[in-house]
Amino acid sequence: MGLAGFAIGVVTGHGLMARPAAALLALLACTAAPMWWYEARRHAAAQPRPGEARHSTTSRRRWRLYGLVVAGGLWAATLNLLPLANASVTDGFWLALPPLLPLLLAGALLYVLWPEGTEVAGLERIGQWLHRRPAAQRFPWPLLRDQLVKAFFLPLMISFAYRWAGQSEPVLAQNMTAVHWYALTVALLYLVDTAFGTVGYLSTAKRLGAQIQSSNPYWLGWAAALVCYPPFFTWLQDVGFTYRDGYQWSAWLAQSPVLLHVWGTAVVLLTAIYALSTVVFGIRFSNLTHRGIITHGPYRWSKHPAYISKNLSWWLVSIPFVSNAGVATAAVHCLILLCINGIYWLRARTEERHLMHDPVYREYALWISRHGLIAKLLRRHPTT
């Protein structure tokens, strides 16, 4: 349903390309609406049960207001952090924000005034602690981590989606060659990935059954994840930590049309696996969180299909083993990309460590170790 809405959004958004921010919002709305409708119906039974509130209405609303102030502080901090290395990294977010402001303000007001349920959770619980500051109760740091995930990644996802949506227009304006078609397909697949990622960060509502159950409690996991995004990765590139020198795989294979098509098809397939690995989360995608265990789609074959396919595609797209500057530079580029692959391996391991607290994930991990793609390949080609 989300992909069908995405297709409608692409058609609708293409007619609004004179206003790219409006086109992006149309795309996101078309992608999110059918999934939200479906999940709201599925999880109608999970609505808060009517009952007496355990605290006064005034107190509950005050706690929610305090919680919103904390969330606003996190957003202010991350929105000032993200552009430090590259001022344009959040351009898409700022362009999409003005038409959303009335909805955000209305949503905040509705959140504060909404009739109370029996459970105090999320921002309200943070506000409760700030209001009462009970000496016997620790500050709810896990809930603050949950909010930090959204404050850091949601502006990035919106900006990434804006960038990928814009990249299709220059390609379509050219005389389309096979290489242009490959570039357009990859751009659309990354647009699918970032659009579904954006919807995931927008959908952490308990009424949709998509709330954050826990965020990664390990600092090493946060470090491994954040270093892959601006501004941290941009800082690494600024000091020479890059595996590209501008030489394109299409130029490298220009004299071999057959190999060029095989190479380009492999790039598209790997990118498609990566995008599908985001799509199968539906409204539950986000970094550094546990919002339910996904076992279908590409996750039926591997615990980390997104990381594997993405890292393999980088080797094919950037061709670090070929350099105009010589063999020594190519070797350095290969070493740097291997280091980046290692960072993603660390991300995978720290995510597993976090999710292993869930018995469902432990069962899934055991199943993959016996029936996953790597296990099947090892059984077919056992080492001597």
Side-chain angles (χ1 to χ4, degrees):
M1 293 174 71
L3 281 175
F6 176 87
I8 295 172
V10 168
V11 175
T12 305
H14 186 70
L16 296 172
M17 284 314 294
R19 299 172 59 198
L24 176 63
L25 293 176
L27 176 66
L28 295 176
C30 290
T31 305
M35 292 194 289
W36 284 345
W37 173 82
Y38 176 73
E39 294 288 1
R41 288 176 59 88
R42 277 188 63 199
H43 295 277
Q47 295 283 347
R49 294 174 182 152
E52 291 292 329
R54 292 173 291 180
H55 308 279
S56 72
T57 299
T58 302
S59 294
R60 298 289 296 270
R61 289 174 177 171
R62 184 181 294 117
W63 299 342
R64 293 175 182 178
L65 186 60
Y66 287 174
L68 284 176
V69 171
V70 171
L74 289 176
W75 276 81
T78 57
L79 287 172
N80 279 280
L81 171 68
L82 291 172
L84 286 181
N86 184 347
S88 65
V89 73
T90 54
D91 282 356
F93 171 77
W94 291 115
L95 290 169
L97 185 61
L100 285 177
L101 269 178
L103 293 176
L104 292 174
L105 293 174
L109 182 62
L110 186 63
Y111 171 73
V112 172
L113 299 178
W114 191 262
E116 301 84 359
T118 57
E119 182 180 4
V120 178
L123 287 176
E124 187 177 359
R125 188 174 159 201
I126 294 175
Q128 179 190 32
W129 191 94
L130 291 173
H131 180 226
R132 292 187 167 184
R133 296 178 183 240
Q137 184 180 345
R138 297 181 60 188
F139 182 81
W141 292 109
L143 298 177
L144 192 68
R145 285 199 310 264
D146 298 347
Q147 298 301 319
L148 182 57
V149 168
K150 292 189 288 186
F152 183 87
F153 286 105
L154 181 54
L156 279 180
M157 282 296 149
I158 293 176
S159 295
F160 290 166
Y162 182 88
R163 185 188 68 185
W164 286 112
Q167 285 199 9
S168 62
E169 291 300 304
V171 174
L172 287 171
Q174 303 180 53
N175 295 323
M176 297 291 285
T177 65
V179 174
H180 292 134
W181 281 112
Y182 287 132
L184 176 61
T185 304
V186 168
L188 286 174
L189 287 170
Y190 273 108
L191 178 57
V192 169
D193 165 64
T194 51
F196 273 79
T198 300
V199 172
Y201 287 107
L202 290 170
S203 306
T204 56
K206 190 172 184 179
R207 293 173 183 271
L208 297 174
Q211 70 274 18
I212 296 175
Q213 298 179 28
S214 64
S215 51
N216 196 314
Y218 304 112
W219 287 108
L220 185 58
W222 277 77
L226 295 182
V227 77
C228 298
Y229 294 89
F232 308 104
F233 193 74
T234 310
W235 287 333
L236 289 176
Q237 290 179 316
D238 290 343
V239 297
F241 193 75
T242 180
Y243 53 89
R244 302 186 183 193
D245 61 4
Y247 191 46
Q248 301 293 324
W249 65 268
S250 54
W252 178 49
L253 300 173
Q255 303 305 315
S256 179
V258 173
L259 187 55
L260 185 144
H261 284 292
V262 171
W263 203 274
T265 300
V267 170
V268 168
L269 287 177
L270 288 171
T271 309
I273 294 171
Y274 171 71
L276 183 59
S277 299
T278 302
V279 169
V280 296
F281 274 87
I283 62 173
R284 292 173 180 80
F285 175 85
S286 65
N287 286 300
L288 294 168
T289 61
H290 171 19
R291 298 171 65 187
I293 305 303
I294 305 299
T295 62
H296 61 287
Y299 291 90
R300 189 190 184 284
W301 303 101
S302 169
K303 289 180 290 185
H304 304 287
Y307 292 164
I308 294 172
S309 58
K310 189 176 188 178
N311 279 267
L312 287 176
S313 73
W314 286 340
W315 282 92
L316 298 185
V317 171
S318 63
I319 52 171
F321 41 83
V322 180
S323 174
N324 288 326
V327 175
T329 301
V332 171
H333 287 170
C334 289
L335 183 60
I336 291 173
L337 185 50
L338 284 172
C339 289
I340 293 172
N341 298 155
I343 292 173
Y344 275 82
W345 176 86
L346 187 60
R347 285 183 69 177
R349 298 299 293 175
T350 53
E351 287 175 9
E352 289 180 27
R353 185 183 177 194
H354 170 212
L355 295 176
M356 279 293 185
H357 294 291
D358 188 330
V360 175
Y361 187 81
R362 292 198 296 270
E363 182 182 355
Y364 163 71
L366 180 61
W367 190 92
I368 284 291
S369 68
R370 296 173 178 173
H371 305 285
L373 180 60
I374 294 177
K376 290 184 177 182
L377 290 174
L378 289 177
R379 282 198 300 270
R380 181 169 296 182
H381 303 287
T383 57
T384 56

